[in-house]
Amino acid sequence: MISLTNRLIICALASLAFVSTQNVKIKIVAPKAWNDRKALLLTREKGFAAVVHSIRLGFDTTHLTMDPDLLPDLYQFQVSQKKGALTFFFDPGTEIRLDTADLAKSAVSHSKSNEEWQAYQRLVQNPSDQRLNAYILAEARAKKHNLPDSARYWVGEQAREREKLWDATDSFIAGNPKSYVSLYLLKINWFALKDRELFERLDRALAHHRNYRFLNEKNKGLAKSAPVVPRK
């Protein structure tokens, strides 16, 4: 027989489990030929991935049990034995219409965060990547033709381009304080943006998210390590 104390503990744990997860819907539109094919939904973090969910295709809507503080965030979608991977911002209710030739080109809808992510990629990240790649190629050509001064110049251009990207990312975050994309961008660029007081500009509506809590701790550590300026 279970004692009253144990019953109370079990009820408390059950209640905690209930509030710590939520039922999240994601719709994946795929050809019937792909039914029962295995797909993976992974988190993305600076080139690293971790499996979050394994999904079987063929259902109109898939229900996932997830911690509410995990969304919205950047995820990657892969299908077994199929080319490419789709990187997207996952909001509850997101719909993915799979591109059978290249998953990376799949259409994502019903996700406000993904629209913001695509805007950042289109306006900030992609143009910067194109310029940086051009400078890297120019440096390689200079080295190939034994032109050290030219090579140093293109190395400098690469450094300046990275600074420009951080400035543009700073502007995006400051201009979109309620965006989970801004929260993600500040997290992955914290080493470069930590001294720009961007965390304080983020909307408190984001405070439930794990990325906000992570940055809050980082920001507290930054404040503690700041030198104390003596009063005159």
Side-chain angles (χ1 to χ4, degrees), residues 226-232:
V228 177
V229 179
R231 295 181 179 180
K232 293 183 180 180

Side-chain angles (χ1 to χ4, degrees), residues 209-230:
H209 202 283
R210 63 172 178 176
N211 287 346
Y212 188 98
R213 297 197 299 271
F214 173 83
L215 290 175
N216 190 36
E217 291 303 314
K218 286 284 188 181
N219 203 49
K220 288 179 181 178
L222 191 66
K224 290 179 180 178
S225 63
V228 177
V229 179

Side-chain angles (χ1 to χ4, degrees), residues 27-30 86 95-99 103 105-109:
K27 184 175 182 180
I28 303 167
V29 182
L86 173 67
E95 178 177 319
I96 301 174
R97 190 168 294 271
L98 296 182
D99 186 306
L103 286 176
K105 298 178 180 178
S106 299
V108 178
S109 58

Side-chain angles (χ1 to χ4, degrees), residues 89-231:
F89 242 84
F90 183 15
D91 274 315
T94 294
E95 178 177 319
I96 301 174
R97 190 168 294 271
L98 296 182
D99 186 306
T100 57
D102 186 352
L103 286 176
K105 298 178 180 178
S106 299
V108 178
S109 58
H110 301 93
S111 172
K112 180 177 181 291
S113 296
N114 195 66
E115 293 176 3
E116 296 167 348
W117 173 251
Q118 291 297 327
Y120 173 81
Q121 294 297 309
R122 183 177 67 255
L123 300 175
V124 179
Q125 188 69 60
N126 292 343
S128 179
D129 286 346
Q130 290 173 6
R131 291 190 295 268
L132 185 61
N133 289 337
Y135 300 152
I136 291 173
L137 288 175
E139 179 199 354
R141 286 194 297 268
K143 288 181 176 179
K144 181 179 179 180
H145 292 91
N146 196 25
L147 301 171
D149 290 341
S150 179
R152 281 192 294 271
Y153 170 81
W154 292 116
V155 169
E157 287 298 294
Q158 292 169 43
R160 282 185 282 274
E161 182 56 43
R162 293 186 182 95
E163 290 288 343
K164 290 178 182 177
L165 176 59
W166 290 330
D167 289 342
T169 301
D170 178 323
S171 297
F172 181 92
I173 295 171
N176 299 274
K178 296 182 179 180
S179 173
Y180 290 94
V181 175
S182 295
L183 185 61
Y184 174 83
L185 290 172
L186 183 55
K187 179 185 176 182
I188 65 170
N189 293 289
W190 181 253
F191 69 97
L193 303 178
K194 62 184 179 182
D195 296 322
R196 302 195 183 196
E197 299 183 348
L198 286 169
F199 178 76
E200 289 78 7
R201 302 190 198 182
L202 293 176
D203 195 283
R204 285 285 299 171
L206 308 178
H208 71 93
H209 202 283
R210 63 172 178 176
N211 287 346
Y212 188 98
R213 297 197 299 271
F214 173 83
L215 290 175
N216 190 36
E217 291 303 314
K218 286 284 188 181
N219 203 49
K220 288 179 181 178
L222 191 66
K224 290 179 180 178
S225 63
V228 177
V229 179
R231 295 181 179 180

